[in-house]
Amino acid sequence: MARKKRAQSPPLAVIILAAGQGKRMRSDLPKVLQPLAGRPLLKHVIDTALSLQPAATCIVYGHGGEQVRAALSAEPVEWVLQAQRLGTGHAVSQAMPRIADDQLVLVLYGDVPLVRRQTLDELLQLAGPRRVALLTMLPEDPTGYGRIVRNTRGQVQRIIEHQDAGKQQLRIREANTGIVAAPARLLKKWLKALRNDNSQGEYYLTDIIAMAVRERIPVLPMVVSSAEVVGVNDKAQLAQVEALHRQRINRELLLAGVTIADPSRCDVRGTLLHGEDVFIDVGVVLEGTVRLGNRVRVGPYCVVRNSEIGEETCVFGHCIIDSADIGANCLIGPFARLRPAAVLGQGVHIGNFVEVKNSRMGGDSKANHLAYVGDAQLGSRVNIGAGTIIANYDGAHKNRTTIGDDVHTGSNSVLVAPMTVGAGATIAAGSTVVKEVPPGGLTVARARQLTIADWRRPVKPKK
């Protein structure tokens, strides 16, 4: 279904400020590339911005930020360098030459990833060619935030930064989020008039609010939950935002009918598409795009990445499933690993300590214990015995194995690829098979058993 366009007359331009160094992260990775639910912080903000369908999206990045550009080079945005870090007002001014005068400018931040599209839509409805919209919050502790100064009629007059505020102003609880929407024509004029005569010696974007008030341009505030606009400056705040994101996503899943044993211990790091009566146990991590059919059960401490699991399938605990396609009514695990391009038909059983990689297993086939199936095509009703491996790698090449319907392999068999096993064949336990196996019958490929009656085990010399 196509997304409904935002009902607003001026075309929208979004400027995302992402030039901060992030020293408090104590990491070689730039702050805006720190991962939140498996994606960079900045990627979350870009996705939200693009959902508004702006006419232009500019990212203001800092000196040495080529790593940021490289990591997000596929994004449909314009990159603007802020060579000197002279404040938020200066940062926004670097992008303004890319912005048309008739556009409405929305300023976002690369380290504020949880702001919702719905919130921004509401904010933009307040703004216009002669109106400024300002997003504010009421945090329990406003320390460090700029304060919203209102007059006796409750109208916003200006924003005073924490470092420049007096004792009376520091008692104000309403705080600035930094997110603002303003008409480009007026914003350009106000940015040129900014001064840096403050405690930080910076050009504050927040000073445009007082300028707007002096020109009788309405400044319309919108108060939002502080949890939605929390910024990330260190690893402690990153963990806090991760928890908030997890809570938000899992609540949406619960309301959609998914049963999550403990929402505080389920991480969705991507997109979960699901049917009805899905159950997810504790410690599960879902990455990328995951599809779970009706009545799928995922046991504790599983990792599922970019995979599809058919209805009625049960994944027992401690499994890793990566880029696999699992049919309906399967039993997987515990402690199983499905690697990329593993395709399982309906009713397949994969047991404990079994690994399947780049292989297809037909319906009702089983590998229940301690087996490796790699680069193989298995028919239906195949039984892979305990300890069986398909030796697919010769040191230089990965070779294919084809196994027909109704084949049984005995325990501790080795099938050396390339290899074809005919339908209905049985391979005796302990066999190392290096030649084609004909259909039907029993194939035995092992050394004759021999007992040496008078053999003596070596004895260690006494020390």
Side-chain angles (χ1 to χ4, degrees):
M1 181 181 295
R3 186 184 294 278
K4 186 177 180 180
K5 287 191 176 182
R6 182 174 48 85
Q8 181 170 328
S9 50
L12 176 65
V14 178
I15 298 175
I16 303 174
L17 304 188
Q21 289 185 344
K23 290 182 178 180
R24 282 182 279 171
M25 282 290 178
R26 298 183 181 274
S27 170
D28 289 335
L29 192 66
K31 179 170 69 169
V32 294
L33 293 185
Q34 297 290 327
L36 168 63
R39 292 183 294 156
L41 291 171
L42 180 55
K43 171 62 173 166
H44 287 266
V45 183
I46 291 174
D47 287 348
T48 302
L50 294 179
S51 73
L52 298 168
Q53 300 181 331
T57 304
C58 297
I59 312 291
V60 180
Y61 70 103
H63 179 70
E66 291 302 324
Q67 188 177 353
V68 177
R69 289 193 60 171
L72 298 167
S73 60
E75 298 299 323
V77 300
E78 295 185 69
W79 296 90
V80 180
L81 175 64
Q82 184 188 21
Q84 294 179 286
R85 296 182 61 215
L86 301 178
T88 51
H90 177 261
V92 172
S93 69
Q94 304 307 294
M96 292 310 292
R98 316 285 183 97
I99 308 299
D101 286 351
D102 65 340
Q103 291 180 331
L104 183 66
V105 178
L106 174 65
V107 179
L108 301 176
Y109 296 82
D111 59 359
V112 181
L114 297 185
V115 63
R116 297 174 183 265
R117 177 183 183 271
Q118 299 93 314
T119 298
L120 297 177
D121 265 332
E122 291 180 34
L123 183 72
L124 291 170
Q125 296 304 320
L126 297 177
R130 301 238 356 132
R131 296 192 308 274
V132 174
L134 179 66
L135 200 63
T136 72
M137 60 178 171
L138 298 170
E140 291 188 12
D141 181 7
T143 301
Y145 291 101
R147 305 304 204 277
I148 307 299
V149 180
R150 297 183 184 238
N151 61 19
T152 55
R153 291 179 292 173
Q155 297 170 322
V156 173
Q157 298 298 291
R158 63 184 177 127
I159 299 173
I160 184 77
E161 295 296 337
H162 179 91
Q163 302 92 327
D164 302 306
K167 291 183 179 180
Q168 188 68 27
Q169 293 161 333
L170 289 175
R171 294 193 183 99
I172 299 172
R173 188 180 165 206
E174 186 178 15
N176 177 41
T177 68
I179 296 174
V180 63
R185 190 185 307 275
L186 294 175
L187 182 57
K188 289 179 179 180
K189 179 178 67 171
W190 295 333
L191 290 171
K192 290 179 181 178
L194 289 178
R195 300 177 60 183
N196 65 345
D197 51 352
N198 51 63
S199 62
Q200 301 296 304
E202 295 182 349
Y203 298 94
Y204 294 154
L205 178 63
T206 49
D207 286 348
I208 70 167
I209 300 302
M211 294 179 184
V213 171
R214 284 196 296 269
E215 295 185 23
R216 299 185 182 277
I217 300 297
V219 177
L220 305 180
M222 174 180 162
V223 182
V224 70
S225 167
S226 57
E228 189 174 342
V229 287
V230 62
V232 178
N233 293 300
D234 54 38
K235 292 294 177 66
Q237 290 175 335
L238 182 62
Q240 177 189 3
V241 168
E242 185 84 40
L244 290 169
H245 183 273
R246 181 188 309 117
Q247 182 182 44
R248 175 189 293 181
I249 295 299
N250 289 343
R251 175 175 170 76
E252 292 173 357
L253 291 173
L254 289 166
L255 293 176
V258 177
T259 300
I260 302 176
D262 184 351
S264 69
R265 291 189 287 169
C266 174
D267 287 271
V268 179
R269 299 172 183 171
T271 302
L272 173 60
L273 306 173
H274 60 85
E276 296 180 349
D277 297 311
V278 169
F279 174 82
I280 300 175
D281 215 326
V282 300
V284 172
V285 178
L286 306 175
E287 300 180 346
T289 299
V290 174
R291 299 174 183 268
L292 304 180
N294 296 330
R295 295 171 295 284
V296 165
R297 297 179 65 87
V298 181
Y301 305 105
C302 292
V303 177
V304 183
R305 180 183 303 115
N306 292 320
S307 297
E308 182 169 352
I309 301 177
E311 62 181 26
E312 306 284 356
T313 288
C314 183
V315 180
F316 298 103
H318 300 277
C319 293
I320 297 178
I321 299 173
D322 184 1
S323 304
D325 188 346
I326 302 171
N329 295 289
C330 294
L331 298 177
I332 310 297
F335 296 99
R337 183 183 182 194
L338 301 182
R339 291 170 59 190
V343 180
L344 310 185
Q346 181 171 327
V348 169
H349 292 188
I350 299 296
N352 46 290
F353 304 104
V354 173
E355 180 178 346
V356 181
K357 168 251 178 187
N358 191 27
S359 297
R360 287 181 168 267
M361 296 182 65
D364 299 311
S365 291
K366 299 178 181 179
N368 278 326
H369 325 275
L370 303 159
Y372 172 67
V373 179
D375 298 287
Q377 175 81 40
L378 279 65
S380 300
R381 300 173 301 282
V382 172
N383 188 85
I384 301 295
T388 295
I389 71 163
I390 295 176
N392 57 329
Y393 185 51
D394 63 8
H397 306 96
K398 299 291 179 68
N399 299 300
R400 298 289 299 179
T401 294
T402 301
I403 300 175
D405 296 341
D406 300 300
V407 168
H408 284 214
T409 72
S411 298
N412 293 322
S413 299
V414 178
L415 280 60
V416 181
M419 154 84 53
T420 298
V421 180
T426 299
I427 297 175
S431 294
T432 298
V433 182
V434 297
K435 298 179 181 179
E436 181 174 330
V437 176
L442 172 66
T443 294
V444 182
R446 58 193 182 207
R448 178 179 297 179
Q449 182 170 317
L450 176 67
T451 299
I452 302 173
D454 58 354
W455 179 83
R456 294 289 182 269
R457 183 179 299 140
V459 178
K460 291 183 179 179
K462 293 182 180 180
K463 294 182 179 180

